[in-house]
Amino acid sequence: MADHSPEDNRLALKVVFYGPALSGKTTNLMQLHSLLNPQRKGELMVLETRDDRTLFFDMLPIGLKGDSGLDLRLKLYTVPGQVQHDSTRKAVLSRADAVVFVADSQTSQQDNNATAFGNLEENLEKVGLDIDTLPMAVQFNKRDLPGVVGDTELQQRWAETPWAPLQMASALHGKGVLETFRILLDRLYTEVDREFALDTDHGIDRDTFIRQLSAASEEIRA
């Protein structure tokens, strides 16, 4: 549910990183902040508890200008994965335009992944969003650890869902983070262009939307 201000010619989109506790949501956001073009991102805010876990949310606004002067901004948040913070998860999820679900690849964490995904579906419904139509990318993180579920098994398990293929990542080492983000942007563009005619009215085509919002620092220097 995009925040559109025609008077200011501004459009703000909200992306939420969701998933079980310690799956790597905050690490994904911190890596994005490190990797993205510094001209297109703001200050990363991280709120932590005494046990170093995210309590509320992280926010990373990035944006671009369309030919029409449209100021398009993307705000990225994470939610706390701990069970006791469900009300915070609902609050952050409210009016989301897209979701990245970050799962833990370790075999021992598959039940937690399923519980968190069920919680996402329930909370989306509570805030008036439909998981079947909301743009979403699913990432299986921590591929660098021993004891992870095999790539082929995971892809087959999710093959019949709208979120296939899955994205594999090791966010701690920056691998798969930008790729996941670009998949998400591609799916998000379809919905936003349908509602706000980004291409025809503002000169922002799909390639521009993805390329500029996900341009990495090294790509700018090349």
Side-chain angles (χ1 to χ4, degrees), residues 19-184:
L22 302 178
S23 64
K25 303 177 293 297
T26 298
T27 306
N28 263 271
L29 209 63
M30 293 178 76
Q31 286 287 4
L32 275 177
H33 192 265
S34 174
L35 292 168
L36 292 174
N37 174 12
Q39 296 179 346
R40 296 195 175 278
K41 63 187 179 186
E43 181 180 358
L44 176 66
M45 299 191 299
V46 182
L47 304 180
E48 297 179 335
T49 61
R50 285 177 296 181
D51 57 4
D52 291 332
R53 293 178 177 178
T54 304
L55 177 59
F56 292 110
F57 59 82
D58 308 331
M59 182 177 71
L60 168 57
I62 56 178
L64 61 82
K65 285 274 190 180
D67 292 344
S68 67
L70 176 70
D71 183 2
L72 194 155
R73 295 172 182 267
L74 204 61
K75 295 185 177 181
L76 312 183
Y77 297 80
T78 67
V79 298
Q82 293 87 349
V83 174
Q84 65 269 30
H85 296 309
D86 194 49
S87 59
T88 302
R89 283 196 295 276
K90 282 200 293 284
V92 176
L93 201 56
S94 178
R95 300 179 62 85
D97 297 290
V99 168
V100 177
F101 184 80
V102 181
D104 191 321
S105 293
Q106 296 176 93
T107 303
S108 60
Q109 298 300 312
Q110 299 314 294
D111 287 347
N112 288 335
N113 290 336
T115 299
F117 197 84
N119 176 258
L120 169 63
E121 187 171 15
E122 292 173 4
N123 281 340
L124 284 174
E125 184 176 0
K126 288 176 182 175
V127 298
L129 297 171
D130 184 355
I131 196 171
D132 292 325
T133 58
L134 186 72
M136 185 165 73
V138 175
Q139 177 199 89
F140 271 76
N141 188 28
K142 302 188 178 182
R143 302 303 295 173
D144 55 303
L145 295 182
V148 299
V149 182
D151 189 334
T152 302
E153 179 180 342
L154 288 172
Q155 296 290 3
Q156 289 177 346
R157 191 183 299 171
W158 288 71
E160 302 302 321
T161 72
W163 311 292
L166 306 174
Q167 306 306 305
M168 300 294 156
S170 172
L172 186 63
H173 303 289
K175 296 180 179 178
V177 173
L178 275 177
E179 290 80 358
T180 302
F181 188 50
R182 285 167 179 156
I183 290 291
L184 190 281

Side-chain angles (χ1 to χ4, degrees), residues 175-199:
K175 296 180 179 178
V177 173
L178 275 177
E179 290 80 358
T180 302
F181 188 50
R182 285 167 179 156
I183 290 291
L184 190 281
L185 290 175
D186 183 52
R187 295 172 181 172
L188 175 59
Y189 180 85
T190 301
E191 296 302 318
V192 179
D193 183 52
R194 179 182 297 125
E195 184 172 358
F196 296 101
L198 290 185
D199 193 356

